[in-house]
Amino acid sequence: MTIKTRFAPSPTGYLHVGGARTALFSWLYARKHGGKFVLRIEDTDLERSTQDSVNAILEGMTWLGLEYDEGPFYQTHRFERYNEVIGLLLDKGLAYRCSCSKERLTGLREQQMANKEKPRYDGHCRDRDINPDEPHVIRFRNPLDGDVEIGDLIRGRVVVANSELDDLVIRRTDGSPTYNLTVVVDDHDMGITHVIRGDDHLNNTPRQINMLNALDWDVPHYAHVPMILGDDGARLSKRHGAVSVMQYLKDGFLPEALLNYLVRLGWSHGDQELFSLDEMIRLFDLDAVNRAPSTFNTEKLRWLNQQYLKSADPDRVAHLLSSHLGDLGIDPTEGPELTAVIEAQRERATTLIELAEISAFYYREFDRFDEKAAKKAFKAGAAEALQVVSEKLAALAIWDRETIHAVIETTVKELGVGFGKVAMPLRTAVTGGAPSPDLDLTVFLVGKEATLRRIGRAIAHIGGN
Ligand code: GLU
């Protein structure tokens, strides 16, 4: 049997973190088993579905590399098929027309609530013969007795009594099919073997199973993924920060870091934190998905991003970093080799934005000295040390790390002071106080001309000019 999973978003917003995780789990499961992954756009809610949202979902999936093997299928293109199945259910007596008025249904509901009963349709039209020309909905004839059993691959056995379910509307008065009907038809027609989705759909599953059984169609396996909470314990939402996947691109995250973060959101493999894509595919399994909700932790995502930034191909990082430098008004072709700067700086940044910020000083004058750094570095003797080192650097015919290092060493010796007395003022003079790597490397990358100019600026600053 070929395993087939699907991601079935409703295009009513961007691709959010929860949706992306569901998509990732479905994608991984298909990849792991050499199966297929289907993308289905559930756009039957015409009021809320937008093309922009479809585009945002496709864009998010592309950025994360969650390529699909089939689709995107649009439910709005499949109304004919849904109506065909509704007709079939009607013909077999598995569904019926219902002309109950809004008033009747509201009254029923109020009465049930007053009696502390669960509001549900009472089957009033079950055995009535409604004229098809009258306005009506179509309801599925849910079995009255027995239980529905779900062998959920994450939650285990879930049993729901049919007496808890009512006769669900499968076609509205305007002729449009409802969610549960379209999902049942699509999961069947598309040959879906494993439905992996958020546990907010768990209450729909018994209804869908009943319809599949009524139609004599195979029931897929189900896996309901627990929800994601914000750090305050509430369901993850906009107020917890970025929830749109594409926001993470803008915020300077690498897609592989977000994927790694998402896979660990509810799934674990021992205490391993870093997973390459191949490892994820090999090791992922549904039975290791946690049954309890998971909590979104931005700090951990930043840590992961830093790990991936440290090991990513410098040319690729350079490519990605260029636009963030551009946002700061920096043209990286005017200055040191960007890949060299990246290798020097990247372990100090958690995002590409931070990396751009702490690398800016290699390419342009900083606005001002960081106050704290300046206070620490520009103490008594600093101006003299800077003067001496500046003269020696100015005299250099060769500009490389070794010669720069030697100049610092000789200055220290000549002045008979500790290394820090020269190194600290020099570092602050050339960086302004930004995080930086080994001093000789920093000075080398900043370049001779800018180094000398900045030393002059620091001396003037110390002198109070
Ligand atoms: N369209 C549904 C949603 O976005 C998902 C339906 C399903 O996975 O069955 O929540």
Side-chain angles (χ1 to χ4, degrees), residues 6 8-10 40 42 179 183 187 195-198 200-201 208:
R6 62 8 173 231
S10 305
R40 181 166 83 221
E42 304 209 321
Y179 159 74
V183 166
D187 285 341
V195 172
I196 301 169
R197 61 182 169 198
D200 47 334
H201 287 288
Q208 294 175 11

Side-chain angles (χ1 to χ4, degrees), residues 231-289:
D231 46 16
D232 56 356
R235 195 190 187 97
L236 189 69
S237 70
K238 264 193 203 148
R239 69 197 161 77
H240 296 105
V243 285
S244 155
V245 159
M246 295 314 282
Q247 187 62 41
Y248 289 98
L249 166 67
K250 294 192 192 103
D251 290 348
F253 287 84
L254 298 173
E256 61 269 38
L258 187 57
L259 278 182
N260 194 146
Y261 183 72
L262 290 174
V263 82
R264 285 283 293 107
L265 210 46
W267 174 78
S268 54
H269 179 75
D271 47 19
Q272 188 172 338
E273 289 293 356
L274 289 168
F275 296 88
S276 69
L277 210 51
D278 284 345
E279 274 179 310
M280 276 187 217
I281 294 171
R282 189 159 45 82
L283 300 172
F284 179 79
D285 217 340
L286 290 169
D287 55 15
V289 174

Side-chain angles (χ1 to χ4, degrees), residues 207-365:
R207 299 175 179 285
Q208 294 175 11
I209 292 177
N210 279 339
M211 279 194 261
L212 288 161
N213 284 335
L215 287 158
D216 223 358
W217 288 348
D218 285 343
V219 176
H221 297 281
Y222 291 95
H224 289 92
V225 184
M227 63 178 160
I228 304 171
L229 307 176
D231 46 16
D232 56 356
R235 195 190 187 97
L236 189 69
S237 70
K238 264 193 203 148
R239 69 197 161 77
H240 296 105
V243 285
S244 155
V245 159
M246 295 314 282
Q247 187 62 41
Y248 289 98
L249 166 67
K250 294 192 192 103
D251 290 348
F253 287 84
L254 298 173
E256 61 269 38
L258 187 57
L259 278 182
N260 194 146
Y261 183 72
L262 290 174
V263 82
R264 285 283 293 107
L265 210 46
W267 174 78
S268 54
H269 179 75
D271 47 19
Q272 188 172 338
E273 289 293 356
L274 289 168
F275 296 88
S276 69
L277 210 51
D278 284 345
E279 274 179 310
M280 276 187 217
I281 294 171
R282 189 159 45 82
L283 300 172
F284 179 79
D285 217 340
L286 290 169
D287 55 15
V289 174
N290 206 326
R291 290 181 186 198
S294 36
T295 303
F296 197 85
N297 177 340
T298 310
E299 282 317 304
K300 191 163 161 199
L301 171 58
R302 297 184 89 88
W303 177 82
L304 274 170
N305 202 51
Q306 181 166 34
Q307 308 312 307
Y308 281 95
L309 266 182
K310 277 199 271 190
S311 57
D313 171 28
D315 284 323
R316 175 172 164 241
V317 179
H319 180 73
L320 299 171
L321 191 64
S322 291
S323 77
H324 293 286
L325 287 168
D327 289 344
L328 300 176
I330 290 169
D331 174 359
T333 59
E334 290 174 2
E337 192 65 53
L338 186 51
T339 48
V341 168
I342 286 166
E343 287 185 84
Q345 289 293 77
R346 60 177 164 183
E347 67 191 59
R348 290 166 192 82
T350 63
T351 67
L352 289 163
I353 291 190
E354 275 181 20
L355 185 54
E357 283 166 356
I358 66 167
S359 303
F361 75 85
Y362 291 103
Y363 297 96
R364 69 161 180 219
E365 270 325 297

